[in-house]
Amino acid sequence: MTADPAHLTLWPAPHASGAVDATVHVPGSKSVTNRALVLAALASEPGWLRRPLRSRDTLLMAGALRAMGIEIEEGVGPDGTGEAWRVLPTGLRGPATVDVGNAGTVMRFLPPVAALADGPVRFDGDPRSYERPLNGVIDALRHLGARIDDDGRGALPLTVHGGGALEGGTVPVDASSSSQFVSALLLSAPRFNQGVEVRHTGATLPSLPHIRMTVDMLRAVGAQVDTPESGGEPNVWRVTPGALLGRDLTIEPDLSNAQPFLAAALVTGGRVLVPDWPARTTQPGDRLREIFTEMGGSCELTEQGLEFTGSGSVHGIDVDLGEVGELTPGIAAVAALADSPSTLRGVAHLRLHETDRLAALTKEINGLGGDVTETADGLHIRPRPLHGGVFHTYEDHRMATAGAIIGLGVKGVRIEDVATTAKTLPDFPGLWAGMLGA
């Protein structure tokens, strides 16, 4: 799965000499930034995004929208303070070529947008992007009237032949492999002639908080959305056609990217403050408060942000992560350093993420002397004394941060390609060193 480490840059993961005590300003949420960009591009008037995340995934999204004719101006906010992007919805057009990199949000959220463009839009990306499932979006768009050329792969590369509009209507979708299939259709649905009624047909639906995030953000820009939580049918979401408003939106910190820093407090028995942690949020990372408390820490949400404190002990956990699967690598890393076994359940869909995260975590933790076994839908982790070695990342940002967490407690861990963290977290090595007082 990985090239010869002799030909790759290895980052010596810093080993903690004592308890950390730091304030870490976590950059904005990738999930919120990319949804906000799509909604602003589809709006009927200009909008502002304050404190957007500048990372590989968000810059790919912005670049893709620009390729389709949307103007995005980077500068300061309307009050003259802080970084902000002004989005001018100047019309969607082709021909265009979109580079999705390996960003699930770009490859899944933008084909419905492209169906509304005048002209063809070609989607291509990193080699790994060809292996990630897109059939849920492709089949649904065809059902709704779009013309897509994918040579029958159900995956990238593909071309969406935009006709300037899409009829919309009722569509069955099996989103068992990714909740992004549902979010992708909901985000563009206000611009469909009939809106959309998405009916999830699969046995399971991972990452529900991300669908709730999509719904909340749609409602914030004026869309009418009926959901199972608002009294609708189970597994059915309806969006009414209508104009979207331009908004002045401040992007929340990325709570999933706060995970390694909170884990550092837990693993070292220290304290980390993350400013601007929202009191109410749909971000899956908010579950860390509960999970890491159960694993031995304590937290307090104050006006300054979230203050998380480790107790000096790390406990194993038995937890269903089906709704918050992206947190699995960091939780597995902490579990490998715990004083009792852990079972992480409900995350079979992680085999289809940036890499097969379950196989990768098993191989890399065991390569450092650990005892991890894959289950049908997760991992069982029995703590063992770990030793140094190379921790491969498979071009997966969350694998890199998981390795850094283990490195805090284990000397001699070297992370292959730590630069992959730039996918969602710019200058992770700098933030990590700053937290450790380096």
Side-chain angles (χ1 to χ4, degrees):
M1 294 174 69
T2 294
D4 181 350
H7 300 295
L8 297 166
T9 301
L10 299 178
W11 179 66
H15 182 257
S17 57
V20 302
D21 187 358
T23 296
V24 180
H25 291 268
V26 176
S29 164
K30 175 204 72 172
S31 298
V32 175
T33 298
N34 276 357
R35 283 167 173 77
L37 281 169
V38 172
L39 292 172
L42 295 172
S44 59
E45 56 194 356
W48 289 93
L49 274 65
R50 297 175 187 256
R51 289 168 55 181
L53 174 66
R54 290 184 60 88
S55 73
R56 187 184 187 217
D57 279 17
T58 60
L59 294 175
L60 284 167
M61 180 67 85
L65 291 169
R66 287 186 176 115
M68 287 191 277
I70 301 299
E71 292 184 25
I72 302 174
E73 301 172 349
E74 301 183 32
V76 296
D79 56 2
T81 62
E83 182 177 7
W85 294 349
R86 187 167 187 244
V87 182
L88 304 169
T90 43
L92 296 160
R93 57 186 179 270
T97 299
V98 166
D99 175 14
V100 310
N102 191 18
T105 51
V106 182
M107 71 180 73
R108 290 166 182 153
F109 292 177
L110 289 189
V113 175
L116 300 170
D118 283 312
V121 180
R122 177 172 171 78
F123 289 81
D124 209 337
D126 297 353
R128 170 62 181 170
S129 71
Y130 291 14
E131 303 171 25
R132 300 185 69 181
L134 266 180
N135 54 298
V137 173
I138 294 169
D139 294 346
L141 287 174
R142 284 183 176 139
H143 186 93
L144 296 172
R147 185 159 72 90
I148 300 173
D149 293 335
D150 69 336
D151 293 330
R153 287 182 302 270
L156 291 170
L158 59 85
T159 299
V160 179
H161 295 273
L166 196 65
E167 191 59 25
T170 300
V171 59
V173 177
D174 183 350
S176 301
S177 61
S178 176
S179 69
Q180 289 177 351
F181 295 166
V182 174
S183 287
L185 296 166
L186 300 184
L187 286 167
S188 292
R191 291 281 302 273
F192 299 167
N193 294 342
Q194 298 181 38
V196 82
E197 178 182 287
V198 178
R199 306 186 75 90
H200 169 57
T201 60
T204 60
L205 184 58
S207 304
L208 264 173
H210 277 127
I211 296 179
R212 296 186 192 115
M213 176 187 293
T214 298
V215 169
D216 278 9
M217 293 184 68
L218 276 161
R219 288 172 173 162
V221 294
Q224 181 179 329
V225 188
D226 295 323
T227 70
E229 292 86 355
S230 60
E233 294 179 60
N235 292 327
V236 176
W237 294 262
R238 295 184 181 90
V239 180
T240 303
L244 297 178
L245 306 173
R247 289 294 199 206
D248 184 338
L249 175 68
T250 299
I251 306 296
E252 297 174 355
D254 192 314
L255 306 188
S256 295
N257 277 341
Q259 181 180 35
F261 305 100
L262 302 184
L266 182 56
V267 167
T268 68
R271 183 200 72 93
V272 166
L273 172 69
V274 178
D276 303 316
W277 193 288
R280 178 191 172 276
T281 181
T282 52
Q283 287 193 61
D286 198 43
R287 273 279 306 278
L288 289 167
R289 293 193 287 163
E290 167 197 336
I291 293 168
F292 278 173
T293 295
E294 188 174 339
M295 295 186 82
S298 61
C299 65
E300 182 181 6
L301 194 57
T302 69
E303 290 184 1
Q304 286 70 45
L306 182 73
E307 183 172 309
F308 189 86
T309 306
S311 63
S313 298
V314 181
H315 309 311
I317 191 171
D318 185 329
V319 62
D320 188 326
L321 299 175
E323 291 200 350
V324 293
E326 67 195 50
L327 304 180
T328 303
I331 293 169
V334 172
L337 301 171
D339 57 15
S340 57
S342 294
T343 300
L344 313 184
R345 293 177 283 104
V347 287
H349 61 286
L350 294 192
R351 295 187 170 99
L352 301 170
H353 274 222
E354 279 81 347
T355 188
D356 178 343
R357 285 180 171 163
L358 300 184
L361 287 163
T362 300
K363 183 173 185 294
E364 298 311 311
I365 295 174
N366 288 351
L368 302 179
D371 185 0
V372 181
T373 53
E374 282 191 63
T375 64
D377 71 338
L379 299 172
H380 188 59
I381 302 166
R382 288 163 293 274
R384 295 285 186 270
L386 301 180
H387 55 72
V390 175
F391 194 94
H392 301 104
T393 59
Y394 311 91
E395 299 179 339
D396 185 337
H397 55 131
R398 300 208 192 278
M399 286 296 295
T401 52
I405 293 167
I406 292 173
L408 290 174
V410 180
K411 291 182 178 179
V413 174
R414 292 170 293 152
I415 311 286
E416 167 214 73
D417 188 22
V418 74
T420 194
T421 53
K423 177 181 169 69
T424 62
L425 187 54
D427 192 27
F428 169 73
L431 288 170
W432 201 244
M435 173 192 70
L436 294 167

